[in-house]
Amino acid sequence: MAESDERTRLLTNENRPQYSFNSSIARERKKRVKQFQCLLCGIFLCCIIVALIVSIVFSINVTFDDGTASNNSTNETAPVEIFNILMSQTWPLKDEEIKNITSNDSSQWKAALLFGSKELDKKDNIELNTPTLPVDTPSYRHQKVTPTSIKALQLSRIGYLEEYGAKYMHRNGSKGAIMKICPNVTSNYLDEFCQKSTITCNELQRYRSFDGTCNNLKNPDKFGTSFRPFRRAIAADYGDGISSPRVSKSGQPLPTARTVSLIVHRPFYRDDVKFSVMLAVWGQFVDHDITATALSKGSNGSSISCCGDQSTIHPECFPVIIDKDDPLMKDNVTCMEFVRSAPTPTCCLGSRQQMNQVTAFIDGSVIYGVEHSLVSSLRTMQGGTLKMYVTKDNRTLLPVSQNVNDGCNREDARKKGEYCFEAGDSRSNENLHLTSMHTIWARHHNNIANNLSRINPHWNDEQIFQETRKIIGAQMQHITYKEFLPILLGPEIMKSFNLYPQKTGNFQSYNDSVDATIANNFATAAFRFAHTIIPGLMKFLANDSKSPEFIEMHKMLFNPFKLYEPGEMDRALRGAVNTNIEANDPFFTNELKQHLFERDEEKNNTKTKRYGLDLVSLNIQRGRDHGLPGYVEWRSHCGFKKPETFSDFSYDMDEYSLSNIKSLYRDVEDVDLYTGALSEKPLNGSILGPTLTCLILDQFIRLKYGDRYWYENPNEEIGFNPRQLDEIRKTTLAKIICDNSDNVTHIQPRVMERISQNNDNIPCEKIPRMNLTYWKDNLRKIPMGDNQMDVKTSQSNDIHIS
């Protein structure tokens, strides 16, 4: 009998023979069955894996795990139709006419203005007990980055008085829609803004005024000038018809701006590999050249706190409310600081308007300022140059600011002798890239001024300064319309509306009936689209381009001190031209949504923990503060079909953004312009959707067609001769960076686009440079009795000065 082993049955009721081996046939059969089963399992598993991969890829492109949508698809079914609609409009678009009535009742006018004066006194008394913001806080820095000049502060007081005068007028006799009530009586408050212009303009004046006056000879102190109201393309939509922030069509409050930010504008990171961060840098630089909204301040220029002591609430407060489900509520944060934009005076009593403190024209005011006192403070008054600070290693930076309350200067930096900077625009310290751009252009001004002084030694300081400023403004216009706008609008629209710079000759379409004034919607919503393309991490690159350093974006805010270190500006510039932007869509980096103006030491200090601001919430809130009508009204203004239901949005928005919007807003007409426009799919050849394309196109048409000093205009007395114009057309932002950085030696020619086969890194010397010898005066000596006199003559064809 066979011996027992591990295969022997312990219990058995049958006698069976014990074999010393199994059948080979049976073993083979079992083996093949197992192989077949494994094959089937493998095929099934592969199918599952493939399906999983496809679903993940699809979800990356379409939706996140929280249900939020990506907006990477373009509006491919609509471009022809949308383009045809745009082409069928009369450009620039006609602004909506606001009805007005004339009042001859002097007693009513007197009573209305007296009521406004009393309300202004009340505001001043409230400010005696209203707390100000702590200096070293994100909210204080935010208020500092929206500056209000002394002149704007004074004007805003009249605007506030008028606002309450309008409320008195409409409360006492006016019925129906709010209209402008214009005086037919004398008023000390309104006469300055109602009487026809008394400015005398010289139409052959060679140089622009600093404040934009006399650009338009028919409206010399209105079209495009500084310290005037933004232009209203559509009548304001205020809760009370006059000044209170916009509300739902039902009369109920709109969803809080913070909730819209959290639900619709969630964080998502998707690069646009075609364009560089320099696109956003230039966009901000140009934006600061043409817009500067005045913010409400205390009567002495102090900041206003809205989330502190609730017993005394300032009438200009409009804080962002934090909902109960907001993550900030776990730390008992119920309110985000927000102060309304300052009101501006107008001739008539009507709805509240906001003030632009700078000129509308692309004229370099961001470098020089718009008030004579500021311009003079930035000049050396020698050789037409600007003041600069010289570092220990003999580099030039912007002049320093020693104002400890500017929201930028820091104690630890001051101990090292490092300060923030001063420029023609007080926002120059907002981020390191912007400060670098200011520095580049101030250096560029001085380089041009020094060369003009050498070429024309008989020119005095004023002539050199003004001629340099004129060239700088022309170069800024050329870069904006040659390199920047085509990315925003696409080549087809640029060509169709004659927005590209001329290749030869002059631009012949200046129209003095075109009002170049910046639209309220442009400054408050449309041109803020660029916030969505800012990445959370900024790259810094050394010369070798192989050792990148990445810095969180919020650490660059109000932190220009790296510029004191040799090589750091070059690393920042190289990083900007070598970092992808984020895709233009409804989604934002958390650097802007959670950490705006935050400093790490404040965040980590448990005793005084302070949270960064949410820029998206602030942008939405600003639109409501300004009474911007809802998104659907702007669609209609542009000539597109006005949506009547949420399903009408599906043509231009992806379903996930639309779903989030629908979950928050009660009515299709409630959707904010900023949220609706950013949620549109971009058009082919552009990074913008239809509504943003329309609103930005309209403004830049006005800035070109409505600028008498546009650099390509044919009048040589105030413009440039043909050869000078040819030299200005050589301008590229790449060359200006090359010539005015410390040691950038290689760069791609189109710096707002990423490096590619057709835009590769090349040595700086291969990029064309403007030849200033065409600005040389030809002087011929003419006998005058016993003396000789230098007389300027036409330039010869063979001028060559090294």
Side-chain angles (χ1 to χ4, degrees):
M1 185 174 178
E3 294 182 358
S4 298
D5 61 16
E6 69 275 8
R7 292 176 295 174
T8 304
R9 293 176 180 266
L10 297 179
L11 296 173
T12 179
N13 294 323
E14 57 182 342
N15 295 320
R16 56 187 352 183
Q18 302 295 312
Y19 297 103
S20 60
F21 58 89
N22 292 327
S23 166
S24 61
I25 297 176
R27 181 189 299 172
E28 185 66 22
R29 184 174 179 274
K30 288 182 180 180
K31 180 179 179 182
R32 291 185 178 181
V33 169
K34 287 184 179 179
Q35 287 177 339
F36 181 69
Q37 289 174 335
C38 290
L39 178 63
L40 288 178
C41 290
I43 292 173
F44 181 69
L45 185 60
C46 287
C47 290
I48 292 176
I49 292 173
V50 169
L52 184 61
I53 292 172
V54 170
S55 65
I56 290 172
V57 170
F58 181 76
S59 69
I60 290 174
N61 286 310
V62 179
T63 181
F64 316 126
D65 57 2
D66 60 5
T68 308
S70 154
N71 200 29
N72 67 338
S73 59
T74 58
N75 198 333
E76 295 178 349
T77 59
V80 173
E81 179 183 345
I82 290 173
F83 182 75
N84 288 339
I85 291 173
L86 293 175
M87 290 301 295
S88 67
Q89 305 297 315
T90 300
W91 295 87
L93 297 176
K94 187 177 181 180
D95 293 339
E96 179 182 331
E97 291 186 14
I98 301 174
K99 296 180 180 179
N100 62 73
I101 57 177
T102 301
S103 172
N104 297 311
D105 190 339
S106 59
S107 61
Q108 188 183 38
W109 273 100
K110 184 176 180 180
L113 296 177
L114 179 61
F115 178 78
S117 180
K118 290 181 178 178
E119 289 299 317
L120 182 61
D121 289 339
K122 285 183 183 179
K123 181 174 80 73
D124 290 343
N125 289 329
I126 288 173
E127 286 172 0
L128 297 176
N129 299 310
T130 300
T132 58
L133 290 168
V135 172
D136 214 13
T137 61
S139 295
Y140 182 88
R141 288 189 279 276
H142 172 241
Q143 290 198 21
K144 279 297 181 181
V145 88
T146 312
T148 303
S149 68
I150 295 175
K151 181 175 180 178
L153 182 64
Q154 294 168 344
L155 289 171
S156 71
R157 292 178 62 78
I158 302 175
Y160 189 88
L161 182 155
E162 286 187 14
E163 176 184 328
Y164 280 87
K167 290 184 177 183
Y168 178 91
M169 283 283 202
H170 285 280
R171 189 179 64 187
N172 292 272
S174 295
K175 304 293 182 182
I178 299 297
M179 294 183 290
K180 292 188 299 183
I181 304 177
C182 301
N184 197 22
V185 295
T186 300
S187 164
N188 291 335
Y189 290 113
L190 301 178
D191 284 353
E192 177 185 352
F193 308 101
C194 290
Q195 57 188 254
K196 292 184 178 180
S197 174
T198 57
I199 295 177
T200 301
C201 297
N202 175 8
E203 62 180 293
L204 297 180
Q205 173 61 42
R206 183 168 177 78
Y207 306 113
R208 297 174 181 269
S209 62
F210 294 116
D211 60 6
T213 54
C214 290
N215 187 305
N216 187 293
L217 298 175
K218 289 183 178 179
N219 297 276
D221 59 350
K222 291 184 174 63
F223 283 14
T225 58
S226 59
F227 298 104
R228 285 288 180 177
F230 287 108
R231 180 174 50 82
R232 287 278 183 185
I234 304 179
D237 181 4
Y238 287 114
D240 61 357
I242 296 177
S243 65
S244 66
R246 187 173 75 94
V247 295
S248 169
K249 288 299 178 183
S250 66
Q252 298 299 311
L254 292 164
T256 72
R258 168 69 176 175
T259 300
V260 176
S261 172
L262 288 175
I263 301 301
V264 182
H265 304 288
R266 302 181 181 189
F268 179 61
Y269 309 100
R270 182 171 58 85
D271 285 355
D272 187 331
V273 298
K274 297 186 294 298
F275 308 112
S276 76
V277 166
M278 190 55 72
L279 176 72
V281 176
W282 185 254
Q284 185 178 38
F285 193 64
V286 171
D287 176 63
H288 290 185
D289 193 72
I290 60 180
T291 72
T293 307
L295 196 67
S296 292
K297 301 283 187 183
S299 57
N300 61 352
S302 61
S303 65
I304 298 173
S305 176
C306 298
C307 294
D309 180 10
Q310 295 298 305
S311 62
T312 305
I313 300 176
H314 195 284
E316 291 295 272
C317 280
F318 180 37
V320 178
I321 303 302
I322 306 299
D323 281 339
K324 58 182 177 60
D325 296 327
D326 194 299
L328 290 176
M329 283 295 288
K330 69 179 187 299
D331 292 307
N332 297 318
V333 179
T334 60
C335 172
M336 188 179 298
E337 295 282 358
F338 187 95
V339 175
R340 300 192 68 181
S341 296
T344 186
T346 61
C347 172
C348 307
L349 300 183
S351 62
R352 177 171 174 142
Q353 307 296 342
Q354 290 76 30
M355 182 192 314
N356 189 4
Q357 300 175 90
V358 298
T359 69
F361 311 105
I362 301 175
D363 55 7
S365 62
V366 68
I367 303 168
Y368 308 105
V370 297
E371 296 185 82
H372 282 276
S373 58
L374 176 57
V375 178
S376 297
S377 71
L378 295 173
R379 294 174 59 179
T380 65
M381 298 301 177
Q382 294 181 347
T385 56
L386 296 173
K387 292 177 182 176
M388 301 294 283
Y389 171 81
V390 181
T391 64
K392 296 177 180 178
D393 59 330
N394 208 34
R395 292 177 299 115
T396 56
L397 302 175
L398 297 169
V400 299
S401 165
Q402 298 188 17
N403 179 7
V404 296
N405 294 321
D406 62 1
C408 178
N409 276 311
R410 303 185 188 184
E411 181 63 30
D412 58 337
R414 289 199 300 270
K415 290 178 179 178
K416 296 188 292 184
E418 297 175 356
Y419 297 88
C420 294
F421 302 101
E422 290 185 342
D425 186 272
S426 59
R427 296 164 286 185
S428 60
N429 294 295
E430 181 185 327
N431 65 74
L432 185 60
H433 285 147
L434 182 62
T435 313
S436 298
M437 188 58 61
H438 271 276
T439 306
I440 288 292
W441 282 86
R443 289 177 177 182
H444 185 51
H445 172 99
N446 283 354
N447 285 337
I448 291 177
N450 289 333
N451 277 299
L452 289 179
S453 181
R454 180 175 56 83
I455 292 169
N456 295 299
H458 57 286
W459 284 7
N460 61 25
D461 168 71
E462 185 67 17
Q463 186 173 3
I464 296 171
F465 174 79
Q466 293 289 3
E467 199 67 31
T468 302
R469 172 173 165 258
K470 180 180 173 182
I471 293 170
I472 292 285
Q475 291 185 303
M476 287 186 63
Q477 290 181 339
H478 186 77
I479 291 169
T480 301
Y481 283 74
K482 182 69 180 294
E483 301 182 43
F484 177 71
L485 269 188
I487 297 174
L488 269 57
L489 302 176
E492 192 170 6
I493 287 177
M494 292 292 294
K495 291 176 184 176
S496 298
F497 293 95
N498 196 19
L499 291 177
Y500 276 121
Q502 306 289 123
K503 292 183 179 179
T504 59
N506 296 105
F507 174 71
Q508 302 286 347
S509 299
Y510 168 68
N511 186 341
D512 60 8
S513 67
V514 172
D515 186 359
T517 302
I518 300 297
N520 207 313
N521 70 78
F522 179 89
T524 311
F527 211 49
R528 298 191 182 198
F529 83 92
H531 293 158
T532 188
I533 68 176
I534 299 173
L537 290 177
M538 294 296 182
K539 186 188 298 182
F540 283 65
L541 277 178
N543 253 328
D544 57 14
S545 298
K546 296 177 182 177
S547 51
E549 174 189 358
F550 292 91
I551 296 179
E552 294 167 298
M553 190 275 295
H554 79 271
K555 294 181 179 179
M556 296 177 63
L557 302 180
F558 282 121
N559 188 14
F561 306 106
K562 272 185 171 289
L563 298 184
Y564 286 92
E565 301 175 31
E568 286 302 310
M569 184 169 74
D570 291 344
R571 294 207 315 134
L573 292 169
R574 289 192 200 97
V577 302
N578 283 283
T579 303
N580 299 333
I581 61 168
E582 292 289 315
N584 184 54
D585 53 30
F587 312 112
F588 291 77
T589 170
N590 265 337
E591 287 293 294
L592 294 176
K593 286 173 56 65
Q594 294 184 11
H595 305 297
L596 187 70
F597 302 128
E598 171 188 277
R599 289 180 181 165
D600 289 346
E601 62 269 23
E602 297 167 352
K603 178 182 177 183
N604 298 326
N605 189 328
T606 55
K607 292 184 179 179
T608 59
K609 189 172 183 179
R610 292 168 181 154
Y611 294 89
L613 303 178
D614 178 354
L615 180 60
V616 184
S617 298
L618 301 178
N619 286 344
I620 295 170
Q621 195 84 336
R622 189 65 65 196
R624 298 174 181 182
D625 165 30
H626 284 218
L628 291 186
Y631 164 67
V632 298
E633 296 297 330
W634 296 102
R635 296 275 305 179
S636 179
H637 175 69
C638 289
F640 307 136
K641 183 179 179 181
K642 183 177 179 180
E644 297 179 354
T645 66
F646 283 107
S647 61
D648 292 338
F649 288 161
S650 61
Y651 190 68
D652 291 300
M653 295 182 189
D654 65 79
E655 60 178 305
Y656 298 97
S657 293
L658 177 55
S659 176
N660 289 328
I661 288 173
K662 187 177 179 180
S663 70
L664 292 176
Y665 292 94
R666 295 184 181 90
D667 191 288
V668 69
E669 296 191 31
D670 292 344
V671 179
D672 294 283
L673 170 60
Y674 192 67
T675 292
L678 280 180
S679 298
E680 293 179 341
K681 301 172 187 175
L683 298 174
N684 284 345
S686 166
I687 66 172
L688 306 175
T691 305
L692 286 177
T693 296
C694 163
L695 300 179
I696 291 174
L697 170 63
D698 179 72
Q699 187 62 64
F700 279 100
I701 285 176
R702 292 172 180 273
L703 293 181
K704 181 173 182 177
Y705 286 72
D707 184 358
R708 188 167 66 93
Y709 285 91
W710 179 258
Y711 78 105
E712 296 176 303
N713 284 353
N715 188 342
E716 290 186 22
E717 291 298 322
I718 64 173
F720 300 96
N721 66 46
R723 284 186 291 185
Q724 291 172 342
L725 204 49
D726 287 341
E727 294 304 310
I728 288 174
R729 289 186 178 119
K730 294 179 182 178
T731 301
T732 60
L733 184 54
K735 189 61 173 178
I736 288 174
I737 291 173
C738 282
D739 287 348
N740 299 284
S741 61
D742 294 327
N743 192 33
V744 172
T745 59
H746 289 71
I747 203 167
Q748 67 264 42
R750 300 186 301 278
V751 292
M752 298 181 211
E753 301 175 29
R754 284 305 312 273
I755 294 173
S756 65
Q757 186 175 359
N758 297 321
N759 190 38
D760 203 1
N761 247 354
I762 61 174
C764 284
E765 56 265 24
K766 289 189 176 181
I767 303 176
R769 176 187 284 119
M770 183 173 63
N771 183 357
L772 287 172
T773 60
Y774 292 106
W775 275 259
K776 177 179 172 57
D777 279 348
N778 272 355
L779 299 178
R780 189 167 64 182
K781 294 187 180 298
I782 298 179
M784 298 289 290
D786 295 333
N787 300 314
Q788 291 182 330
M789 180 178 182
D790 290 336
V791 177
K792 181 179 177 182
T793 62
S794 300
Q795 292 176 329
S796 64
N797 293 326
D798 57 353
I799 298 174
H800 295 287
I801 298 179
S802 59

